[in-house]
Amino acid sequence: MSQTSHSNTTLGLSRRALVKAAGITAAAAAVGVVGARSTRYAIAGNLTPIKLEWTEVAACHSPVGFGLSKGIYAKHGLDVELFYQGASGQTLIQSLATRKAEAGPGLLYDWLKPIEQGFDVRLFVGSHGGCQRILVKPDSGIKTLTDLKGKTIGTFDVMSPSRVAFSVALAKAGLNPETDVTWKVFPFDLVAEGVLKGEADAVAHMDPWAYSYEKKHGFTRIADTQTGSFKDRVCCVLGVNGDYYEANKDAIKRVAAANLEIHHYTAQHPDEVAKWYFDTLKPGLSLEDLTEVLASLVYHEHWFGKDLLNEVRIGYEDLKLTGVIDASTDPEEIAKRVTIDIFA
């Protein structure tokens, strides 16, 4: 991210009844500075400092940076610094484990195995659904997930979030995601080239890159993470270090309330968030494309409490299907143990 200065004024945004019920007091935001690998805004007032990790290049994380620039976190009494943790679930875990961040958003599936293995993190609120797609050439003859049997799927990492998510979708479609398909790794920004050159039959990637492939190359989308078995499911959730939560419960409640407000605002104003994303992070797509990507995501507002607990339970059930989670793990028990009813 380039070093850029911004002048930010707090917006008088109305908040949902739940957010109001959380008892959060609004604060004022002043001048902010976007740094090369961390983002911090100088804020007036007696606010609680907290470091949140994020993936700055991902379309679905742009509301986090936008919310910071608009002073929404400051309205909730938080002095937030953003730490860029990369695009891997492993670096997500490392950023919290090494205390480079205390909390932040990540794909639900990326949290679950480390938690099962004893990583002390609690999940407390969801942010959105969607953000990943599996695409094929329109003349491939591949229409559904079951048509991928015997085919090669290109992705950007041996355990990319897209591979994990669509392994679940393939398993639910009746295929073995390890033996019925072949996964092939390509450089992050060249996955589409694998399909165009005939080295793979499909591409599994996340937005905004998957969206750009669909639009630029005329690829056909056969699945994504907001339809089919993923309909009405959460994609990304926020987690917090267990010991930090125990010592800072009120701060994390305010992070949750700010998160809900930010994503509610994004659902209503995807163009405004896209403009910030385009100007600040320069992801290489047009403003129109970024607006369409953000508008396409699902911003439900009920992913906390019992609803989030249910999502975590289903997530563990999903990963048991693919063998990522041990057969002996009880999804109900572990979901109850690691999910915070943040507004209780």
Side-chain angles (χ1 to χ4, degrees), residues 133 135 208-221 285-293:
R133 311 172 190 224
L135 311 167
W209 304 278
Y211 170 87
S212 71
Y213 298 158
E214 187 174 347
K215 190 167 184 178
K216 179 180 179 180
H217 303 302
F219 286 171
T220 299
R221 187 191 330 170
L285 275 74
S286 70
L287 178 58
E288 178 185 8
D289 286 352
L290 295 175
T291 301
E292 290 182 12
V293 168

Side-chain angles (χ1 to χ4, degrees), residues 103-315:
L107 290 159
L108 174 62
Y109 290 152
D110 282 347
W111 291 114
L112 300 185
K113 184 62 179 180
I115 289 174
E116 182 200 39
Q117 294 178 317
F119 181 52
D120 184 19
V121 69
R122 308 286 295 279
L123 304 177
F124 61 97
V125 69
S127 57
H128 71 275
C131 82
Q132 298 184 80
R133 311 172 190 224
I134 191 163
L135 311 167
V136 298
K137 292 175 67 175
D139 60 355
S140 67
I142 300 171
K143 306 295 183 183
T144 66
L145 288 170
T146 54
D147 293 335
L148 287 170
K149 187 172 183 177
K151 305 296 185 181
T152 297
I153 305 172
T155 189
F156 60 88
D157 187 80
V158 66
M159 283 302 290
S160 71
S162 302
R163 174 174 178 171
V164 175
F166 292 117
S167 289
V168 170
L170 288 167
K172 290 187 174 182
L175 300 185
N176 185 317
E178 298 304 317
T179 60
D180 286 336
V181 300
T182 299
W183 296 92
K184 188 171 182 178
V185 175
F186 295 90
F188 188 91
D189 56 351
L190 296 176
V191 183
E193 295 300 315
V195 174
L196 294 172
K197 293 178 179 179
E199 299 174 15
D201 303 290
V203 52
H205 215 323
M206 56 187 182
D207 289 332
W209 304 278
Y211 170 87
S212 71
Y213 298 158
E214 187 174 347
K215 190 167 184 178
K216 179 180 179 180
H217 303 302
F219 286 171
T220 299
R221 187 191 330 170
I222 62 169
D224 58 38
T225 51
Q226 57 179 277
T227 58
S229 62
F230 294 109
K231 185 177 181 181
D232 295 325
R233 296 283 309 281
V234 72
C235 182
C236 285
V237 303
L238 274 69
V240 56
N241 277 319
D243 57 352
Y244 182 87
Y245 172 69
E246 292 301 323
N248 301 274
K249 291 182 178 180
D250 180 66
I252 295 303
K253 180 182 288 188
R254 285 182 275 130
V255 170
N259 180 78
L260 290 172
E261 180 174 336
I262 287 166
H263 288 85
H264 177 61
Y265 189 85
T266 302
Q268 295 181 319
H269 307 281
D271 55 336
E272 190 176 335
V273 180
K275 182 67 164 59
W276 179 89
Y277 187 22
F278 179 82
D279 290 342
T280 309
L281 302 182
K282 303 180 178 13
L285 275 74
S286 70
L287 178 58
E288 178 185 8
D289 286 352
L290 295 175
T291 301
E292 290 182 12
V293 168
L294 289 172
S296 74
L297 298 180
V298 180
Y299 301 101
H300 293 293
E301 298 168 44
H302 60 272
W303 284 321
F304 52 86
K306 292 181 179 179
D307 291 301
L308 179 61
L309 188 150
N310 190 52
E311 291 291 318
V312 175
R313 176 186 59 79
I314 294 172

Side-chain angles (χ1 to χ4, degrees), residues 97-109:
T98 58
R99 296 301 190 268
K100 293 176 181 176
E102 283 93 33
L107 290 159
L108 174 62
Y109 290 152

